[in-house]
Amino acid sequence: MSVPEGDAKSGAKIFKVKCATCHTYNQGGASKTGPNLYGLFGRKSGTVEGYSYTQANRDKGVVWDETTLFEYLENPKKYIPGTKMAFAGFKKPKERADVIAFLKEATA
């Protein structure tokens, strides 16, 4: 699956509105309802220290990159049945690409 080019600036705005309630992304940031996303790219699902994941997230064993995040963020509950992530997903490919572009910069 090809991930479209994203706009990190637009992604930051989308993240603030749709993601920041549950996630932080800064180094050493606390987990909230969802895990801290710092170091997300290249990390295996279900492995943030101190965060209580569902067994489904731990068992999925996906390594997060642009492609896996693009698929996951469309419909998290379909991608990982049993996840506790309540967010329904980003149906628009451009929004997903923008959030991923932002996260690539913000979580590195």
Side-chain angles (χ1 to χ4, degrees), residues 7-58:
D7 178 331
K9 197 173 204 176
S10 176
K13 292 175 188 171
I14 296 167
F15 185 92
K16 185 176 181 181
V17 171
K18 296 191 176 187
C19 311
T21 300
C22 297
H23 294 281
T24 59
Y25 58 85
N26 55 314
Q27 185 173 14
S31 290
K32 296 161 93 174
T33 303
N36 175 280
L37 300 176
Y38 189 81
L40 175 66
F41 290 85
R43 183 169 69 210
K44 192 174 171 184
S45 64
T47 60
V48 170
E49 190 73 34
Y51 183 76
S52 178
Y53 287 95
T54 62
Q55 192 64 46
N57 273 73
R58 289 191 299 272

Side-chain angles (χ1 to χ4, degrees), residues 4 6-7 10-11 14-15 18 70 73 87 89-101:
D7 178 331
S10 176
I14 296 167
F15 185 92
K18 296 191 176 187
F70 191 75
L73 290 173
F87 182 64
F90 295 105
K91 301 309 172 212
K92 296 178 183 172
K94 177 75 171 118
E95 284 189 346
R96 277 181 276 149
D98 289 350
V99 168
I100 291 166

Side-chain angles (χ1 to χ4, degrees), residues 58-77:
R58 289 191 299 272
D59 291 347
K60 181 71 176 184
V62 65
V63 175
W64 297 119
D65 61 23
E66 291 102 331
T67 303
T68 56
L69 280 169
F70 191 75
E71 293 172 12
Y72 175 72
L73 290 173
E74 181 177 18
N75 186 339
K77 289 188 181 298

